[in-house]
Amino acid sequence: MPVAVNEVAALVDAVTGLRAAVDDVALPFEVASAQAARDERRRLLDRLDDHLLPRLRHPDAPTLLVVGGSTGAGKSTLVSSLVGEPVSPAGVLRPTTRWPVLVHHPDDADQFTGDRVLPGLPRVTGAGPAGGRGVRLVASEAVPPGLALLDAPDIDSVEEANRTLAVQLLGAADAWLFVTTAARYADAVPWELLADASRRRTHLALVLDRVDAADAPAVAAHLRVMLDERGLAGTPVLLVPESRPDDDGLLPEQAVAAVASWATDLALDPAIRERALAATRDGSAQEAARAARALADAADDQRAAADRLRSAVVASYASARELVAERTSDGSMLRGEVLARWQDVVGTGEWVRSIESGVARLRDRISAGLRGRRAADPTMAEAVGHGLEAVVLDAAQDAAARAHADWYHDPAGHALLDGLALSRASADLRERVDAAVRAWQGDVLDLVREEGAGRRSTARALSFGVNGLGAALMVAVFASTGGLTGAEVGIVGGTALLAQRLLEAVFGDEAVRRLTRTAHERLDQRVGELLDAEAARYFALLDPVAALVRDGGAVRSRASLVETAARTVAVVPPEATGRRNSTGPGLRGAAAGGVPAAGEADAQGDAPREGWWRRWRRGRSG
């Protein structure tokens, strides 16, 4: 049943959308699936651009028959022998190494000079340039209109670029002639590509070249067993007997008769051509969807890597911020130099007895102590500054070490670090911490000043004691005794209680709670800004790369659309014929896979088999 135009159009739209989604996939992070996914993405884009989209958009374009195979299998000799002239000279440094030869009828020249197929490869006529890569176009009247032969590089070339190009060209094929020899047909590399052909349901024939007549039956039988075992049952096996080339390097016409017959049917029989193109097209669409789903999984791995690296940094510096918050509220700060300087503010040896004298006496005591002198020794602020600086620097250093370790042991993060020394805090962090601590101390004084601005009863105390009350508020911020032991509990506990009672005497208990909470929040904010700046060193490496990454959702969605559209247009489901590469009736000599003896009759008549070009010319003249 013919495929409706709107069904094909739906498949074109679906494949176009899939191509855009695949092109949008970025795989920059070095995760386990990355390299294989990059290779698969490139191959998938090549196949979409080189074969599937051109075939869908131009269903009547010439059939591209790619001749591929192993090194020394005789591909170039076979192509030249089919055409009847040395269009693709064989040899160690033959042009097909970097400039594969595409032979077409002159009337089809415009189909191959543009970018309809193989858009990424330049075209030349005549000998290819010494460098670079591209396709050498050869126009020949010997090739029927509507068919083109492409002699691909060796699939097992010693040059990786040649192997890559060979795979790309095979992926661009409407049909394959896969050439091997009796000595090489069991090699692993050809079977990897044949497995790919099986998945794609590519119209395919396997050419067994240079076969000795005595070995032909056994080799052909074993090869067919291997094909059956690998899902390629029914694939034609075309034997080319060992023959002496003529002076032009061409094999006798009879030697390539089986191959010529198979190619002739593909070129000249509309039913076979339509069936072959449809099978390859539909298989390619389904295989593209399958490959896209695998690529979507790799894209998810990329997104997970970006999230994992970000989480490692966020967690490290969040822990550092929590550590600073804990150490500035558990009483740890009220030791040593800070404690000594606070005692200087309130009067050495007398501040503990003040606690026992009641709030009223405490107010009088503090007011008297502050009146007429500097309310706080500047060394109090310095002591607080030094203590805070040490806490923040230690926390920042620990965070840098943890984040660096997490990235270093993660392949994705290790590649981003590239030797950068991020395991330590920034060189200028000490100066920035010092500035932040001084700014916070200014915040504390501002809070005291603002709170006391409207309190007439304490105006005199405030006028003499903003610095002292500010010191008391800092002590209250550090007030908890958590984490302290032994005599420190009593000393620090008394210190905190004195500071709190002093503040309550001036401002009231509710105001003190609010001032303490606000002061601590501002300290946390300033510490957070410092640590955020430290974490930004990591994000400066991560963010530009992570911005490229998308999860696989869009690709999966597009793949589902392709699968649905491909099922709708499928003409020959593989299960309908029981063979993966069914091409319908018409492969008369090729299906048998034998090599006719001289003078053996064709199944369609009494004349010996002829090369396709002669059959085509005879058909034109008749």
Side-chain angles (χ1 to χ4, degrees):
M1 179 182 296
V3 180
V5 173
N6 60 336
E7 292 175 347
V8 175
L11 181 57
V12 172
D13 289 344
V15 174
T16 301
L18 178 62
R19 201 262 179 229
V22 169
D23 190 48
D24 198 40
V25 170
L27 303 162
F29 290 110
E30 295 299 335
V31 298
S33 61
Q35 189 54 56
R38 290 169 191 147
D39 294 340
E40 184 59 37
R41 176 181 176 274
R42 175 185 51 77
R43 285 192 295 267
L44 180 54
L45 288 173
D46 285 343
R47 288 176 177 177
L48 294 175
D49 291 340
D50 296 344
H51 171 254
L52 189 53
L53 283 170
R55 179 51 62 196
L56 287 170
R57 290 166 176 164
H58 306 279
D60 297 327
T63 302
L64 183 61
L65 176 58
V66 175
V67 182
S70 305
T71 301
K75 301 183 301 298
S76 298
T77 298
L78 178 63
V79 170
S80 293
S81 298
L82 288 172
V83 177
E85 56 181 302
V87 292
S88 186
V92 177
L93 298 177
R94 56 190 180 277
T96 53
T97 302
R98 292 180 175 83
W99 290 83
V101 176
L102 190 153
V103 190
H104 59 84
H105 190 274
D107 292 346
D108 293 332
D110 61 333
Q111 296 288 335
F112 299 104
T113 53
D115 60 357
R116 183 186 65 83
V117 295
L118 303 170
L121 294 175
R123 272 70 160 162
V124 297
T125 57
R133 298 180 186 277
V135 177
R136 185 165 70 92
L137 301 178
V138 176
S140 174
E141 293 271 355
V143 180
L147 184 72
L149 285 174
L150 179 57
D151 183 9
D154 302 330
I155 60 171
D156 54 357
S157 171
V158 294
E159 257 190 78
E160 181 181 357
N162 287 346
R163 298 195 302 271
T164 300
L165 180 58
V167 172
Q168 178 183 353
L169 297 179
L170 289 171
D174 292 310
W176 285 5
L177 272 176
F178 201 89
V179 186
T180 187
T181 65
R184 303 289 303 273
Y185 71 88
D187 290 355
V189 174
W191 288 102
E192 292 175 4
L193 291 174
L194 289 170
D196 183 64
S198 175
R199 288 191 298 269
R200 296 175 62 209
R201 304 208 310 272
T202 303
H203 187 75
L204 169 70
L206 198 148
V207 178
L208 198 57
D209 196 14
R210 297 200 295 271
V211 181
D212 186 87
D215 298 333
V219 172
H222 183 229
L223 182 54
R224 289 196 182 90
V225 170
M226 295 183 70
L227 288 166
D228 292 348
E229 291 174 347
R230 290 161 173 79
L232 289 161
T235 298
V237 177
L238 313 177
L239 304 184
V240 177
E242 184 71 47
S243 306
R244 182 184 297 275
D246 62 18
D247 293 341
D248 292 324
L250 307 180
L251 298 175
E253 196 171 298
Q254 187 61 29
V256 297
V259 181
S261 177
W262 184 86
T264 301
D265 288 336
L266 179 62
L268 303 180
D269 189 316
I272 292 177
R273 179 184 185 277
E274 180 181 357
R275 203 171 168 85
L277 295 184
T280 303
R281 176 201 67 200
D282 299 342
S284 293
Q286 293 287 358
E287 178 62 11
R290 184 208 63 78
R293 290 187 180 280
L295 185 63
D297 292 341
D300 288 344
D301 292 343
Q302 293 284 314
R303 183 72 270 166
D307 293 343
R308 183 173 64 251
L309 296 179
R310 184 176 302 280
S311 295
V313 176
V314 169
S316 294
Y317 283 93
S319 295
R321 188 169 182 173
E322 292 172 2
L323 180 63
V324 173
E326 178 183 344
R327 290 183 177 176
T328 56
S329 62
D330 67 356
S332 299
M333 289 288 299
L334 301 181
R335 308 182 187 186
E337 190 69 13
V338 174
L339 180 61
R341 298 288 73 76
W342 170 246
Q343 292 176 1
D344 288 343
V345 171
V346 297
T348 302
E350 300 180 2
W351 53 276
V352 175
R353 290 191 297 275
S354 300
I355 299 173
E356 301 171 352
S357 302
V359 173
R361 291 184 57 196
L362 177 63
R363 180 189 298 114
D364 294 340
R365 179 73 176 169
I366 295 299
S367 297
L370 296 176
R371 189 175 298 116
R373 57 181 285 249
R374 287 179 61 89
D377 192 321
T379 55
M380 174 69 184
E382 293 178 5
V384 169
H386 291 160
L388 276 176
E389 181 180 293
V391 169
V392 175
L393 287 174
D394 286 348
Q397 181 57 49
D398 289 346
R402 286 196 301 271
H404 186 273
D406 287 340
W407 277 33
Y408 186 85
H409 293 100
D410 187 317
H414 190 91
L416 292 180
L417 287 172
D418 193 26
L420 294 175
L422 297 185
S423 60
R424 298 188 60 81
S426 299
D428 66 340
L429 180 60
R430 184 178 298 276
E431 290 77 9
R432 289 188 286 118
V433 170
D434 180 66
V437 169
R438 284 187 277 105
W440 176 71
Q441 291 174 327
D443 292 341
V444 170
L445 296 181
D446 288 343
L447 287 173
V448 170
R449 191 176 294 109
E450 292 168 3
E451 186 65 29
R455 295 177 180 273
R456 294 181 182 177
S457 61
T458 59
R460 187 176 182 187
L462 287 172
S463 67
F464 290 99
V466 170
N467 289 346
L469 293 173
L473 183 53
M474 293 179 202
V475 169
V477 169
F478 308 145
S480 173
T481 59
L484 300 174
T485 59
E488 286 181 323
V489 174
I491 296 172
V492 173
T495 302
L497 182 58
L498 173 62
Q500 182 174 342
R501 293 228 176 145
L502 187 157
L503 294 170
E504 289 175 350
V506 176
F507 301 123
D509 58 350
E510 179 62 29
V512 170
R513 285 193 292 272
R514 176 167 41 79
L515 287 171
T516 303
R517 182 175 62 252
T518 301
H520 204 281
E521 288 173 351
R522 293 191 181 181
L523 175 59
D524 180 70
Q525 179 182 355
R526 292 190 179 277
V527 170
E529 291 170 354
L530 288 169
L531 295 177
D532 287 347
E534 289 294 286
R537 300 180 302 158
Y538 286 90
F539 296 140
L541 300 177
L542 176 63
D543 289 346
V545 182
L548 304 174
V549 173
R550 306 285 186 277
D551 64 29
V555 175
R556 287 192 188 87
S557 176
R558 294 295 184 177
S560 296
L561 293 176
V562 169
E563 288 173 332
T564 300
R567 284 193 297 267
T568 301
V569 302
V571 176
V572 188
E575 62 274 11
T577 61
R579 55 182 288 183
R580 298 296 298 270
N581 294 279
S582 174
T583 56
L587 301 183
R588 298 176 291 279
V595 181
E600 181 180 338
D602 190 294
Q604 297 299 311
D606 296 329
R609 294 175 186 269
E610 300 172 296
W612 75 18
W613 58 95
R614 296 199 178 187
R615 291 179 60 185
W616 172 61
R617 286 173 176 169
R618 182 162 54 81
R620 289 179 64 191
S621 61

